[in-house]
Amino acid sequence: MRVLIVDDDPGKVCEIKAYLQVLSIAAADIATASHAAAARISLATHSVDILLIDVLLPVREGAIPQAQNSIDLIRQIAEDGTTPAPRYIVGVTASRDACEMYDADFKQLVTQVLVVGPGEQDWQSAL
């Protein structure tokens, strides 16, 4: 099983990767991208079973993270057919506010949105 984590928060990426390895997913099968442009490249070159995508994502390195960048990437994957679609797409965020603010938009496009951050553990059982 191949997983792509698209998130600009290195701490959150490490936490997710560590948990995926507890679930017996090999480190070599977990790829990461820190912005939407890198995610597009990764998705175009590798087959992915699960995409974990940050709710607030920069479009490229150094850009301001915005929900629209994540939504545009997911729509490209799910609707345009220009990028191979993962079997599962799950939103992740460290911000409960962002989760509530963009929940309706994301739930149209992803399986679910998980809050991943300090003190949060519900995401692990959901994943």
Side-chain angles (χ1 to χ4, degrees):
M1 177 173 297
R2 183 145 168 82
V3 179
L4 174 59
I5 304 168
V6 184
D7 200 307
D8 62 325
D9 180 342
K12 190 167 47 166
V13 170
C14 285
E15 186 175 359
I16 294 169
K17 282 176 77 171
Y19 187 68
L20 290 172
Q21 290 175 347
V22 167
L23 297 176
S24 299
I25 297 175
D29 291 331
I30 304 170
T32 62
S34 62
H35 51 82
R40 283 183 176 91
I41 292 168
S42 185
L43 288 165
T45 57
H46 298 96
S47 174
V48 173
D49 297 300
I50 301 172
L51 172 65
L52 301 171
I53 184 168
D54 192 4
V55 170
L56 301 173
L57 191 65
V59 69
R60 65 184 170 285
E61 190 69 36
I64 296 170
Q66 297 178 349
Q68 193 60 50
N69 299 327
S70 301
I71 291 167
D72 289 346
L73 177 58
I74 296 166
R75 280 202 176 113
Q76 178 185 2
I77 295 165
E79 297 173 359
D80 294 350
T82 58
T83 302
R87 288 176 44 201
Y88 302 100
I89 302 174
V90 177
V92 294
T93 184
S95 167
R96 285 203 174 274
D97 291 340
C99 186
E100 291 174 14
M101 188 176 301
Y102 300 107
D103 190 59
D105 293 324
F106 271 78
K107 285 203 173 159
Q108 294 175 12
L109 300 167
V110 302
T111 306
Q112 60 186 322
V113 178
L114 306 175
V115 178
V116 179
E120 300 289 346
Q121 294 178 345
D122 290 343
W123 67 271
Q124 294 175 341
S125 61
L127 190 58

